[in-house]
Amino acid sequence: MKLKRSSRLVDMTHYLLQHPHKLVSLSFFSERYASAKSSISEDLVIIKESFETQGIGKLTTVPGASGGVRFLPLVKKEAAEQFLHTLSATLTDTERLLPGGYLYMTDILGDPLTINEIGRLIASAFVTKQVDVIMTMETKGIPLAYATASQLNVPVVIVRRSSRVTEGSTVSINYISGSSKRIQSMVLPRRGLAPGSHVLVIDDFMKAGGTMKGMTNLIKEFDAELAGCAVLVETKEVSPKLVDGYLSLLKLGEMDQESDISVEIGNYFDYFQEDDLQ
Amino acid sequence: MKLKRSSRLVDMTHYLLQHPHKLVSLSFFSERYASAKSSISEDLVIIKESFETQGIGKLTTVPGASGGVRFLPLVKKEAAEQFLHTLSATLTDTERLLPGGYLYMTDILGDPLTINEIGRLIASAFVTKQVDVIMTMETKGIPLAYATASQLNVPVVIVRRSSRVTEGSTVSINYISGSSKRIQSMVLPRRGLAPGSHVLVIDDFMKAGGTMKGMTNLIKEFDAELAGCAVLVETKEVSPKLVDGYLSLLKLGEMDQESDISVEIGNYFDYFQEDDLQ
């Protein structure tokens, strides 16, 4: 159906936001709106400018017959800093202290807008990396994994603590929890991960990094490749970690039951990618 | 900063899509773009028309000083039918058959675009209902719960099989799994659910409905209200279910190891809300 520019802009914005990292040909939009490719090109210039000015992301153009346009969600540094400062302030509440040096984050992990923004931050850091699939361990990392996967447009595989009848045949490995030193299992459906795929591992919380380390071993078991690791909160307390080269959004200071909670920004900005694309 | 109409349309579309069900005042947009309210009103007419034509959702206007505009994500019936037909065709693959009458759906549940669309369908069915929070049981229902919650702009609480140190104090109940008849526990953090809140329960798969029934009991335990139940797939096999008044997107026919899988559309369209808003 033929649409006016204003309506095209609204629909194209929606379409691009729903299909991040997907190469969309000019012909696709041209047919969708019964409009000339030259008009579509002009629309895309407007959208590109708005996305960049408002910190939504980049539109990159791939020239040639098989080319098109690709939307890459990307936060601005200033917006990321502001978001992480607000989040760390929310976490700095002594009522969140739990026995064992844990922090109550269930409410934060339950808020979709916050989770989606965290996903956008993680996806921004990996925007130029090859990521084919995102892996997480049940349960709390799952929303973060999906939020990131939505922005990178890749599937999610969930590692479980025990095998389930609903997953068919599985591969299981044992690992040692870094902080409790207990032997535990992790299980992934045999059909879950293709050999050679590049896996980004995501979790909500890392103390010693035992779970993360276990997942990197599981990736080897499937002859897949590690693309990176990202956590929402790491603790200062246990150092060095069992994995290195991970990204952390926030870092939790050492706590005793009496003292205040200190939460600072993690190593996120070392991984921040915005400049690479400018 | 002052923006032209075309740039405003792109940014307003993005903003509204990110903040569904939120009442946004005209002043907010007017200040954001340093533009007159009359221009913003005209922008909103264009966006409203595009959203409706393209099946993105509705923009409803609340008049008066404390009024504004609210974006309600809403699928079109035809698009919902097409999506559910495609999904049921994908599920009708004998390689998905697992022992015990289960179906391998892990790959489908791992795809964020599919999950987000399922969330949009469920959210559409509850668009006129009061929903304050979404509840699901770990693990597979979690992505569906978040996808729906993102569209309804409400938080998610995750019921777990056993209590975790990271959740603080918890409330636990026992329930009987409807199909296996085993006694199991479900646990929710004490801070997880406010009394009186309206809870929409979401799960991926329902046989007898024991898990779903357990969750409705847990809701009573917190003096909260049941707003509704929704599942991606219910089975024909076990009938009647332990809960009634639930919404199902798909219905799995009786299976034996030899026969084909039959998947049909569930009772979704009985709950479909589009007409209520027209």
Side-chain angles (χ1 to χ4, degrees):
Chain A
M1 126 196 47
K2 188 141 178 77
L3 286 187
K4 281 197 291 192
R5 161 145 303 149
S6 52
S7 300
R8 287 201 308 264
L9 287 174
V10 171
D11 190 64
M12 284 167 92
T13 298
H14 175 254
Y15 188 88
L16 291 167
L17 292 172
Q18 300 285 98
H19 298 87
H21 283 262
K22 180 184 171 181
L23 185 64
V24 187
S25 70
L26 260 57
S27 318
F28 171 82
F29 283 132
S30 166
E31 281 163 30
R32 186 175 173 102
Y33 308 125
S35 304
K37 282 193 191 174
S38 56
S39 309
I40 299 293
S41 288
E42 288 164 22
D43 297 344
L44 288 169
V45 170
I46 297 169
I47 294 176
K48 181 184 166 70
E49 233 181 69
S50 287
F51 277 15
E52 291 178 9
T53 312
Q54 302 290 335
I56 297 168
K58 304 258 170 190
L59 276 193
T60 59
T61 310
V62 179
S66 61
V69 69
R70 188 179 268 133
F71 162 54
L72 307 176
L74 209 52
V75 292
K76 285 198 172 185
K77 192 169 183 186
E78 197 183 282
E81 274 171 347
Q82 202 190 328
F83 174 78
L84 291 177
H85 279 300
T86 308
L87 192 58
S88 68
T90 310
L91 286 172
T92 313
D93 174 348
T94 47
E95 295 212 351
R96 295 188 174 275
L97 267 180
L98 295 171
Y102 289 96
L103 212 55
Y104 183 82
M105 305 201 296
T106 305
D107 55 336
I108 290 166
L109 294 174
D111 175 46
L113 290 192
T114 304
I115 290 293
N116 291 343
E117 192 58 22
I118 294 169
R120 232 160 63 82
L121 260 66
I122 298 175
S124 294
F126 289 92
V127 73
T128 58
K129 301 268 165 50
Q130 188 181 346
V131 175
D132 303 314
V133 56
I134 287 177
M135 173 183 279
T136 192
M137 176 105 185
E138 62 180 349
T139 296
K140 294 199 167 185
I142 297 174
L144 298 177
Y146 276 84
T148 310
S150 283
Q151 299 293 326
L152 292 174
N153 199 9
V154 295
V156 177
V157 291
I158 299 173
V159 179
R160 307 190 65 161
R161 290 171 213 282
S162 57
S163 78
R164 299 274 162 190
V165 63
T166 54
E167 309 230 310
S169 62
T170 53
V171 173
S172 168
I173 65 163
N174 293 318
Y175 71 104
I176 296 171
S177 157
S179 35
S180 71
K181 307 284 182 208
R182 280 184 308 162
I183 293 186
Q184 309 199 38
S185 326
M186 47 173 72
V187 174
L188 194 66
R190 201 177 43 72
R191 321 184 202 183
L193 204 55
S197 49
H198 294 73
V199 188
L200 171 58
V201 184
I202 290 185
D203 213 347
D204 63 316
F205 199 81
M206 177 163 80
K207 292 185 89 172
T211 306
M212 202 55 105
K213 180 79 185 166
M215 284 194 271
T216 65
N217 289 337
L218 193 56
I219 289 169
K220 283 183 203 145
E221 205 64 42
F222 279 82
D223 292 321
E225 307 269 338
L226 181 67
C229 299
V231 294
L232 174 57
V233 179
E234 64 162 316
T235 61
K236 260 190 183 168
E237 194 187 343
V238 188
S239 179
K241 308 291 189 197
L242 296 169
V243 288
D244 39 40
Y246 61 88
L247 173 152
S248 68
L249 269 62
L250 296 173
K251 189 181 270 188
L252 179 62
E254 289 185 48
M255 298 189 290
D256 56 65
Q257 294 300 324
E258 302 298 310
S259 75
D260 289 342
I261 301 170
S262 102
V263 180
E264 52 194 71
I265 292 181
N267 63 20
Y268 179 70
F269 290 103
D270 303 347
Y271 288 79
F272 195 72
Q273 299 273 348
E274 195 185 36
D275 294 342
D276 298 359
L277 288 165
Q278 273 171 348
Chain B
M1 124 196 54
K2 187 140 179 80
L3 286 185
K4 281 196 291 191
R5 162 146 300 152
S6 52
S7 301
R8 286 200 309 264
L9 287 174
V10 171
D11 189 64
M12 283 167 93
T13 299
H14 174 254
Y15 188 89
L16 291 166
L17 292 172
Q18 300 284 99
H19 299 86
H21 283 260
K22 181 185 171 180
L23 185 65
V24 187
S25 70
L26 261 57
S27 317
F28 172 81
F29 284 132
S30 167
E31 282 164 29
R32 187 176 171 102
Y33 309 126
S35 305
K37 282 193 190 174
S38 56
S39 309
I40 299 294
S41 289
E42 288 164 24
D43 297 343
L44 288 169
V45 170
I46 297 169
I47 294 175
K48 181 183 166 71
E49 232 180 71
S50 288
F51 277 14
E52 289 177 9
T53 313
Q54 302 291 334
I56 297 168
K58 304 258 172 193
L59 277 194
T60 59
T61 309
V62 179
S66 61
V69 68
R70 189 179 267 133
F71 162 55
L72 307 175
L74 211 51
V75 292
K76 285 197 170 186
K77 193 171 183 185
E78 197 182 280
E81 273 171 349
Q82 201 189 327
F83 174 78
L84 290 177
H85 278 300
T86 308
L87 191 58
S88 67
T90 310
L91 285 172
T92 313
D93 174 348
T94 48
E95 295 212 350
R96 294 188 175 276
L97 267 180
L98 294 171
Y102 290 96
L103 212 56
Y104 184 82
M105 303 201 298
T106 306
D107 54 337
I108 289 165
L109 294 174
D111 176 46
L113 289 192
T114 305
I115 290 294
N116 291 343
E117 193 57 22
I118 294 169
R120 231 160 64 83
L121 261 66
I122 298 175
S124 295
F126 288 91
V127 72
T128 57
K129 300 267 166 50
Q130 187 181 347
V131 176
D132 302 314
V133 56
I134 288 178
M135 174 183 278
T136 191
M137 175 104 184
E138 61 179 348
T139 298
K140 295 199 169 185
I142 298 175
L144 298 176
Y146 276 84
T148 310
S150 284
Q151 299 293 324
L152 291 174
N153 199 11
V154 295
V156 177
V157 291
I158 300 173
V159 179
R160 307 190 66 162
R161 290 171 213 284
S162 57
S163 80
R164 299 274 162 190
V165 63
T166 54
E167 310 229 310
S169 61
T170 54
V171 173
S172 168
I173 65 164
N174 293 317
Y175 71 104
I176 296 169
S177 157
S179 35
S180 71
K181 307 283 183 211
R182 278 185 308 164
I183 293 187
Q184 308 198 37
S185 328
M186 48 174 71
V187 173
L188 193 66
R190 200 178 43 75
R191 322 184 201 184
L193 204 56
S197 47
H198 294 74
V199 188
L200 170 60
V201 184
I202 291 186
D203 213 348
D204 63 315
F205 199 81
M206 177 162 78
K207 292 185 91 172
T211 306
M212 201 56 106
K213 180 78 184 162
M215 284 193 273
T216 64
N217 289 338
L218 194 56
I219 289 168
K220 284 183 203 145
E221 205 64 42
F222 279 82
D223 292 321
E225 307 271 336
L226 182 67
C229 298
V231 293
L232 174 57
V233 179
E234 65 161 317
T235 61
K236 263 190 182 167
E237 194 186 344
V238 188
S239 180
K241 309 290 189 197
L242 296 170
V243 287
D244 39 40
Y246 60 87
L247 172 153
S248 69
L249 270 62
L250 297 173
K251 190 181 269 189
L252 179 63
E254 287 185 49
M255 299 188 292
D256 56 63
Q257 294 299 324
E258 302 296 312
S259 75
D260 290 340
I261 301 170
S262 103
V263 180
E264 53 194 71
I265 291 180
N267 63 18
Y268 179 70
F269 291 103
D270 302 347
Y271 287 80
F272 195 71
Q273 298 273 349
E274 196 185 37
D275 293 341
D276 297 358
L277 289 166
Q278 273 170 350

